[in-house]
Amino acid sequence: MAKRSVKEKIVELLKKEQAMTVPQLLSHFSISDIALRRHLKTLERQGTIEAKTVKQEIGRPFLQYRLTEKAQQNFPQHYEQLSVSLLDKLENQFGTDFVESLISDWTEDRMESYKQQLLPYQQLSDKVEQLLTIQKQEGYMSSLKQIDSQRFQLDQYHCPIYSVACNYKAACLTEESVFRELLPNAKVNMNSCIAMGEQCCSFLIEEK
């Protein structure tokens, strides 16, 4: 796997955390404050990030860095598979049930692909690690945290079908169903959702 550049890692961190200060960013690198600020200036000139002044009741104002809307749009979006405009037209012509059925069919196809890739793995820990790998390849910007020997937390900091999920909640609900189907020996619960305005889509996976 190719090593990520400092600028690529900054973008990834801001995608996950939404807003960060220089000291917060610096804690993730082994470079100097001056070197980091140089990278930030470059990203600002490119229109990838923006700095906003945050005022405090006590103390001096400080800068927070965020991704611009332009940068957000550069993350993978699966519009080829599920077009919002096309779904809207189909809904107008055939109704909501028809569109939800299409989303369900798309989910089934995706789940079959996942199943084949998870087939060699038996242990829950191995399955969720492979699931993480698949999700990263699909652009979900996922991370996995092992809470204890039986519980895992899978977080998705980017949703490749965000626009669809905002318009059709069935797309979000099917994601939870997919994980439950793929991990029959585990309980899966969605605790947060990007389409509902939260920082990430978060799933608690617990061995039965």
Side-chain angles (χ1 to χ4, degrees), residues 13-24:
L13 285 166
L14 292 178
K15 177 65 176 175
K16 289 181 177 180
E17 302 299 331
Q18 297 185 327
M20 298 180 76
T21 62
V22 167
Q24 288 170 336

Side-chain angles (χ1 to χ4, degrees), residues 131 154 156 175-183 188 203:
L131 188 57
L154 179 67
Q156 301 169 337
E175 190 80 355
E176 191 175 32
S177 300
V178 166
F179 289 166
R180 286 176 178 168
E181 180 77 18
L182 293 171
L183 307 169
V188 180
F203 300 86

Side-chain angles (χ1 to χ4, degrees), residues 100-137:
E100 290 186 352
S101 177
L102 284 179
I103 293 173
S104 179
D105 289 345
W106 175 77
T107 302
E108 285 292 329
D109 292 341
R110 183 163 156 255
M111 184 160 57
E112 284 305 314
S113 172
Y114 276 35
K115 278 183 178 179
Q116 292 303 313
Q117 295 179 73
L118 292 178
L119 206 55
Y121 305 95
Q122 301 301 320
Q123 298 294 324
L124 179 61
S125 57
D126 295 332
K127 284 189 175 185
V128 292
E129 284 286 354
Q130 180 60 18
L131 188 57
L132 175 69
T133 300
I134 298 168
Q135 292 256 297
K136 284 183 175 180
Q137 291 170 349

Side-chain angles (χ1 to χ4, degrees), residues 9 13 31 36-38 41 73 82 107 123 149 152:
K9 192 171 180 182
L13 285 166
I31 60 175
L36 177 65
R37 290 179 187 276
R38 190 178 301 125
K41 284 294 181 187
Q73 292 171 357
L82 221 51
T107 302
Q123 298 294 324
S149 61
F152 302 83

